[in-house]
């Protein structure tokens, strides 16, 4: 029997994404966010509160990087969601992670995260539903340790984790349970 839970943001899994930008003084800011993702083949959409330092940085710089954190860096990733650069000026330094400047956009690349999308801002939208950033993916960088023998990202090696909106937990992902565009193929023959 289905039970009515009312209006909740219940979708699973929710990505755990790290948005990296430069502050006005050139220091690195990283924010943990789950309300966003791929919205077209070469586009991402981020839904964040406009009062975040990251939103200010995105509007000023017109660029950001978007990284997938791995289980190895769950402590730092969670910290980036707890701390705010509006109040903690040394937020990134406290993490102990390393960043370098992107060659393609005016944003930092956190070297410790295994997968990073370099993005330029296409549009910032202010609607009754909040602040949304649309970014064009200019390039994807992956640590060689997460690639398979054909040079593609192997989800198991990526060792990413997701956020659950139900109980505010993080869950490791990686077990393959089926092949896309094949698992349901026999139903096409009915």
């Amino acid at each position: 029997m289905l039970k009515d839970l009312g209006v909740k943001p219940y979708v699973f899994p929710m990505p755990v994404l790290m948005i990296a930008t430069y502050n006005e003084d050139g220091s690195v800011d990283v924010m943990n966010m789950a309300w966003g993702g791929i919205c077209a083949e070469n586009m991402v959409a981020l839904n964040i509160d406009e009062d975040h330092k990251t939103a200010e940085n995105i509007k000023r710089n017109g660029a950001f990087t978007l990284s997938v954190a791995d289980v190895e860096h769950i402590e730092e990733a969670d910290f980036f969601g707890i701390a705010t650069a509006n109040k903690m000026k040394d937020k990134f330094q406290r993490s102990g992670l390393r960043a370098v400047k992107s060659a393609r956009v005016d944003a930092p690349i956190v070297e410790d995260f295994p997968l990073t999308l370099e993005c330029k801002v296409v549009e910032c939208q202010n609607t009754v539903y909040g602040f949304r950033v649309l970014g064009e993916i200019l390039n994807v960088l992956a640590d060689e340790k997460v690639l398979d023998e054909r040079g593609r990202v192997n989800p198991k090696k990526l060792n990413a984790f997701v956020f659950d909106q139900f109980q505010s937990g993080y869950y490791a992902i990686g077990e393959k349970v089926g092949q896309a565009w094949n698992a349901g193929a026999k139903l096409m023959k009915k």
Side-chain angles (χ1 to χ4, degrees):
M1 174 186 288
L2 297 175
K3 181 176 176 165
D4 187 344
L5 298 178
V7 178
K8 307 271 187 198
Y10 282 176
V11 173
F12 184 82
M14 292 287 286
V16 178
L17 302 171
M18 303 293 118
I19 309 169
T21 59
Y22 284 121
N23 293 315
E24 63 280 350
D25 64 1
S27 62
V28 175
D29 176 46
V30 181
M31 175 185 163
N32 176 329
M33 64 91 63
W35 295 64
I38 300 296
C39 65
E41 187 172 304
N42 66 333
M43 300 287 293
V44 295
L46 313 176
N47 298 295
I48 58 178
D49 287 334
E50 198 167 6
D51 62 350
H52 284 296
K53 186 69 160 176
T54 302
E56 176 187 319
N57 294 343
I58 285 173
K59 289 189 283 185
R60 185 183 56 258
N61 300 331
F64 58 93
T65 59
L66 192 61
S67 295
V68 173
D70 55 0
V71 173
E72 182 181 340
H73 297 97
I74 196 168
E75 180 180 1
E76 295 89 345
D78 189 58
F79 170 71
F80 291 144
I82 297 168
T84 172
N86 284 324
K87 295 179 181 174
M88 187 180 291
K89 301 299 179 202
D90 64 343
K91 175 180 167 183
F92 184 73
Q93 290 77 13
R94 286 186 191 204
S95 75
L97 300 182
R98 301 162 293 128
V100 295
K101 182 167 180 23
S102 165
R104 291 171 183 82
V105 296
D106 186 18
I109 295 166
V110 179
E111 293 180 300
D112 305 274
F113 295 143
L115 186 68
T116 300
L117 287 65
E118 297 169 286
C119 303
K120 77 173 182 178
V121 174
V122 172
E123 184 178 351
C124 291
Q125 303 170 340
N126 284 294
T127 72
V128 293
Y129 305 107
F131 180 67
R132 176 181 235 195
V133 177
L134 296 176
E136 180 183 0
I137 303 166
L138 299 183
N139 188 49
V140 177
L141 298 167
D143 189 314
E144 290 180 350
K145 72 181 181 185
V146 303
L147 301 178
D148 66 15
E149 61 282 346
R150 293 169 53 190
R152 297 181 305 180
V153 175
N154 177 325
K156 200 165 204 144
K157 290 180 177 184
L158 186 62
N159 200 23
F161 58 96
V162 295
F163 175 65
D164 101 76
Q165 296 271 98
F166 314 116
Q167 299 175 12
S168 299
Y170 292 124
Y171 291 84
I173 59 172
E175 180 185 353
K176 185 173 182 178
V177 295
Q179 184 64 41
W181 298 284
N182 188 333
K186 72 177 181 179
L187 296 176
M188 294 295 292
K189 297 175 184 173
K190 282 191 167 191

